[in-house]
Short mmCIF file of all heavy atoms in Angstrom, two decimals:
data_model
loop_
_atom_site.label_atom_id
_atom_site.label_comp_id
_atom_site.label_asym_id
_atom_site.label_seq_id
_atom_site.Cartn_x
_atom_site.Cartn_y
_atom_site.Cartn_z
N GLY A 642 -6.01 9.20 -31.77
CA GLY A 642 -6.92 10.23 -32.26
C GLY A 642 -8.30 10.20 -31.63
O GLY A 642 -9.30 10.48 -32.30
N LEU A 643 -8.39 9.90 -30.34
CA LEU A 643 -9.69 9.72 -29.69
C LEU A 643 -10.28 11.02 -29.13
O LEU A 643 -11.35 10.98 -28.53
CB LEU A 643 -9.56 8.70 -28.54
CG LEU A 643 -9.02 7.31 -28.90
CD1 LEU A 643 -8.99 6.42 -27.68
CD2 LEU A 643 -9.84 6.68 -30.01
N ARG A 644 -9.62 12.15 -29.33
CA ARG A 644 -10.08 13.38 -28.67
C ARG A 644 -11.47 13.80 -29.14
O ARG A 644 -12.25 14.35 -28.35
CB ARG A 644 -9.07 14.50 -28.89
CG ARG A 644 -8.92 14.99 -30.31
CD ARG A 644 -7.79 16.02 -30.40
NE ARG A 644 -7.66 16.60 -31.72
CZ ARG A 644 -7.10 16.00 -32.76
NH1 ARG A 644 -6.59 14.78 -32.60
NH2 ARG A 644 -7.02 16.59 -33.94
N LYS A 645 -11.80 13.58 -30.41
CA LYS A 645 -13.13 13.97 -30.91
C LYS A 645 -14.18 12.92 -30.56
O LYS A 645 -15.33 13.26 -30.31
CB LYS A 645 -13.07 14.17 -32.42
CG LYS A 645 -12.19 15.34 -32.85
CD LYS A 645 -12.19 15.49 -34.37
CE LYS A 645 -11.31 16.67 -34.78
NZ LYS A 645 -11.26 16.82 -36.26
N LEU A 646 -13.76 11.68 -30.53
CA LEU A 646 -14.69 10.60 -30.20
C LEU A 646 -15.06 10.62 -28.72
O LEU A 646 -16.20 10.32 -28.35
CB LEU A 646 -14.06 9.25 -30.56
CG LEU A 646 -14.91 8.00 -30.36
CD1 LEU A 646 -16.06 7.99 -31.34
CD2 LEU A 646 -14.05 6.75 -30.53
N MET A 647 -14.09 11.00 -27.86
CA MET A 647 -14.29 10.98 -26.40
C MET A 647 -13.86 12.33 -25.83
O MET A 647 -12.83 12.43 -25.15
CB MET A 647 -13.49 9.83 -25.78
CG MET A 647 -13.70 8.49 -26.42
SD MET A 647 -12.74 7.16 -25.65
CE MET A 647 -13.57 7.02 -24.07
N PRO A 648 -14.63 13.38 -26.05
CA PRO A 648 -14.20 14.73 -25.64
C PRO A 648 -14.08 14.91 -24.13
O PRO A 648 -13.15 15.58 -23.66
CB PRO A 648 -15.28 15.64 -26.23
CG PRO A 648 -16.47 14.75 -26.43
CD PRO A 648 -15.92 13.40 -26.76
N VAL A 649 -15.00 14.33 -23.36
CA VAL A 649 -14.94 14.49 -21.90
C VAL A 649 -13.73 13.74 -21.34
O VAL A 649 -12.98 14.27 -20.51
CB VAL A 649 -16.24 14.00 -21.25
CG1 VAL A 649 -16.14 14.08 -19.72
CG2 VAL A 649 -17.43 14.80 -21.74
N THR A 650 -13.53 12.51 -21.79
CA THR A 650 -12.38 11.74 -21.34
C THR A 650 -11.09 12.44 -21.72
O THR A 650 -10.13 12.51 -20.93
CB THR A 650 -12.42 10.33 -21.94
OG1 THR A 650 -13.64 9.69 -21.56
CG2 THR A 650 -11.25 9.50 -21.47
N HIS A 651 -11.05 13.00 -22.93
CA HIS A 651 -9.86 13.72 -23.40
C HIS A 651 -9.55 14.92 -22.51
O HIS A 651 -8.41 15.12 -22.08
CB HIS A 651 -10.07 14.17 -24.85
CG HIS A 651 -9.10 15.21 -25.30
ND1 HIS A 651 -9.45 16.54 -25.45
CD2 HIS A 651 -7.79 15.13 -25.61
CE1 HIS A 651 -8.39 17.23 -25.85
NE2 HIS A 651 -7.38 16.40 -25.96
N ALA A 652 -10.57 15.72 -22.20
CA ALA A 652 -10.36 16.94 -21.41
C ALA A 652 -9.93 16.61 -19.99
O ALA A 652 -8.99 17.21 -19.45
CB ALA A 652 -11.63 17.78 -21.41
N THR A 653 -10.60 15.64 -19.37
CA THR A 653 -10.26 15.31 -17.98
C THR A 653 -8.91 14.60 -17.89
O THR A 653 -8.15 14.80 -16.94
CB THR A 653 -11.36 14.43 -17.36
OG1 THR A 653 -11.59 13.27 -18.20
CG2 THR A 653 -12.67 15.20 -17.24
N PHE A 654 -8.60 13.76 -18.88
CA PHE A 654 -7.29 13.10 -18.90
C PHE A 654 -6.18 14.14 -19.04
O PHE A 654 -5.12 14.01 -18.42
CB PHE A 654 -7.23 12.10 -20.05
CG PHE A 654 -6.20 11.02 -19.86
CD1 PHE A 654 -6.52 9.84 -19.22
CD2 PHE A 654 -4.91 11.18 -20.34
CE1 PHE A 654 -5.58 8.83 -19.05
CE2 PHE A 654 -3.95 10.19 -20.17
CZ PHE A 654 -4.29 9.00 -19.52
N LEU A 655 -6.43 15.17 -19.84
CA LEU A 655 -5.45 16.26 -19.99
C LEU A 655 -5.21 16.96 -18.66
O LEU A 655 -4.05 17.26 -18.30
CB LEU A 655 -5.93 17.26 -21.04
CG LEU A 655 -5.06 18.51 -21.22
CD1 LEU A 655 -3.64 18.14 -21.62
CD2 LEU A 655 -5.70 19.45 -22.23
N LEU A 656 -6.27 17.21 -17.91
CA LEU A 656 -6.12 17.86 -16.61
C LEU A 656 -5.27 16.99 -15.68
O LEU A 656 -4.40 17.49 -14.96
CB LEU A 656 -7.49 18.12 -15.98
CG LEU A 656 -8.39 19.13 -16.71
CD1 LEU A 656 -9.76 19.19 -16.05
CD2 LEU A 656 -7.75 20.51 -16.72
N GLY A 657 -5.54 15.68 -15.69
CA GLY A 657 -4.74 14.78 -14.85
C GLY A 657 -3.29 14.74 -15.28
O GLY A 657 -2.39 14.72 -14.44
N CYS A 658 -3.04 14.76 -16.59
CA CYS A 658 -1.66 14.75 -17.09
C CYS A 658 -0.91 16.02 -16.70
O CYS A 658 0.26 15.97 -16.32
CB CYS A 658 -1.67 14.59 -18.61
SG CYS A 658 -2.12 12.94 -19.19
N LEU A 659 -1.57 17.15 -16.81
CA LEU A 659 -0.92 18.41 -16.45
C LEU A 659 -0.58 18.44 -14.96
O LEU A 659 0.47 18.95 -14.56
CB LEU A 659 -1.84 19.58 -16.81
CG LEU A 659 -2.02 19.84 -18.32
CD1 LEU A 659 -3.15 20.84 -18.56
CD2 LEU A 659 -0.72 20.35 -18.93
N ALA A 660 -1.47 17.88 -14.14
CA ALA A 660 -1.20 17.82 -12.70
C ALA A 660 -0.04 16.88 -12.41
O ALA A 660 0.85 17.18 -11.61
CB ALA A 660 -2.45 17.39 -11.95
N LEU A 661 -0.03 15.71 -13.06
CA LEU A 661 1.04 14.74 -12.83
C LEU A 661 2.38 15.29 -13.30
O LEU A 661 3.42 15.07 -12.66
CB LEU A 661 0.71 13.43 -13.56
CG LEU A 661 1.75 12.31 -13.49
CD1 LEU A 661 2.08 11.96 -12.05
CD2 LEU A 661 1.26 11.09 -14.24
N ALA A 662 2.38 16.01 -14.40
CA ALA A 662 3.63 16.57 -14.92
C ALA A 662 4.12 17.75 -14.11
O ALA A 662 5.25 18.20 -14.31
CB ALA A 662 3.44 16.98 -16.39
N GLY A 663 3.29 18.29 -13.23
CA GLY A 663 3.72 19.40 -12.37
C GLY A 663 3.67 20.75 -13.04
O GLY A 663 4.51 21.61 -12.78
N VAL A 664 2.66 20.95 -13.89
CA VAL A 664 2.51 22.23 -14.58
C VAL A 664 1.75 23.20 -13.68
O VAL A 664 0.72 22.85 -13.09
CB VAL A 664 1.76 22.04 -15.92
CG1 VAL A 664 1.50 23.39 -16.59
CG2 VAL A 664 2.55 21.12 -16.83
N ILE A 665 2.27 24.43 -13.56
CA ILE A 665 1.59 25.44 -12.76
C ILE A 665 0.31 25.87 -13.48
O ILE A 665 0.30 25.99 -14.70
CB ILE A 665 2.52 26.65 -12.52
CG1 ILE A 665 1.94 27.60 -11.50
CG2 ILE A 665 2.85 27.37 -13.82
CD1 ILE A 665 2.93 28.68 -11.06
N PRO A 666 -0.84 26.04 -12.83
CA PRO A 666 -1.10 26.03 -11.39
C PRO A 666 -1.77 24.74 -10.92
O PRO A 666 -2.51 24.76 -9.93
CB PRO A 666 -2.08 27.20 -11.25
CG PRO A 666 -2.93 27.08 -12.49
CD PRO A 666 -2.00 26.58 -13.58
N PHE A 667 -1.55 23.64 -11.60
CA PHE A 667 -2.22 22.39 -11.25
C PHE A 667 -1.69 21.84 -9.93
O PHE A 667 -0.60 22.19 -9.47
CB PHE A 667 -2.06 21.39 -12.39
CG PHE A 667 -2.84 21.75 -13.61
CD1 PHE A 667 -2.34 22.64 -14.54
CD2 PHE A 667 -4.11 21.23 -13.82
CE1 PHE A 667 -3.07 22.99 -15.67
CE2 PHE A 667 -4.84 21.57 -14.94
CZ PHE A 667 -4.34 22.46 -15.86
N ALA A 668 -2.47 20.92 -9.34
CA ALA A 668 -2.20 20.46 -7.98
C ALA A 668 -0.81 19.83 -7.85
O ALA A 668 -0.11 20.04 -6.85
CB ALA A 668 -3.28 19.46 -7.55
N GLY A 669 -0.41 19.06 -8.86
CA GLY A 669 0.87 18.40 -8.78
C GLY A 669 2.05 19.35 -8.72
O GLY A 669 3.10 19.01 -8.15
N PHE A 670 1.91 20.53 -9.31
CA PHE A 670 2.98 21.52 -9.24
C PHE A 670 3.28 21.90 -7.80
O PHE A 670 4.43 21.92 -7.37
CB PHE A 670 2.59 22.76 -10.05
CG PHE A 670 3.50 23.95 -9.82
CD1 PHE A 670 4.70 24.05 -10.49
CD2 PHE A 670 3.14 24.95 -8.93
CE1 PHE A 670 5.55 25.13 -10.27
CE2 PHE A 670 3.98 26.05 -8.71
CZ PHE A 670 5.18 26.13 -9.38
N TRP A 671 2.25 22.20 -7.03
CA TRP A 671 2.43 22.67 -5.66
C TRP A 671 2.95 21.56 -4.75
O TRP A 671 3.84 21.79 -3.93
CB TRP A 671 1.12 23.23 -5.12
CG TRP A 671 0.58 24.32 -5.98
CD1 TRP A 671 -0.45 24.24 -6.87
CD2 TRP A 671 1.07 25.67 -6.07
NE1 TRP A 671 -0.64 25.45 -7.50
CE2 TRP A 671 0.28 26.34 -7.02
CE3 TRP A 671 2.10 26.37 -5.44
CZ2 TRP A 671 0.48 27.68 -7.35
CZ3 TRP A 671 2.30 27.70 -5.76
CH2 TRP A 671 1.50 28.34 -6.70
N SER A 672 2.39 20.36 -4.88
CA SER A 672 2.80 19.29 -3.97
C SER A 672 4.17 18.73 -4.34
O SER A 672 5.01 18.47 -3.46
CB SER A 672 1.75 18.18 -3.97
OG SER A 672 1.55 17.65 -5.26
N LYS A 673 4.44 18.53 -5.63
CA LYS A 673 5.75 18.00 -6.03
C LYS A 673 6.85 19.01 -5.70
O LYS A 673 7.92 18.62 -5.20
CB LYS A 673 5.75 17.70 -7.52
CG LYS A 673 7.06 17.09 -8.04
CD LYS A 673 7.17 17.23 -9.54
CE LYS A 673 7.36 18.69 -9.94
NZ LYS A 673 7.47 18.89 -11.40
N ASP A 674 6.60 20.28 -5.96
CA ASP A 674 7.61 21.28 -5.64
C ASP A 674 7.82 21.42 -4.14
O ASP A 674 8.92 21.74 -3.68
CB ASP A 674 7.23 22.63 -6.25
CG ASP A 674 7.55 22.69 -7.74
OD1 ASP A 674 7.73 21.62 -8.34
OD2 ASP A 674 7.60 23.80 -8.30
N ALA A 675 6.77 21.17 -3.36
CA ALA A 675 6.94 21.18 -1.90
C ALA A 675 7.86 20.05 -1.47
O ALA A 675 8.70 20.21 -0.57
CB ALA A 675 5.57 21.04 -1.22
#
Side-chain angles (χ1 to χ4, degrees):
L643 303 182
R644 66 185 184 282
K645 295 180 180 178
L646 183 68
M647 309 180 70
V649 176
T650 302
H651 165 255
T653 54
F654 202 90
L655 175 59
L656 295 175
C658 287
L659 290 169
L661 177 57
V664 175
I665 190 170
F667 290 84
F670 168 81
W671 304 103
S672 58
K673 182 198 69 180
D674 281 18

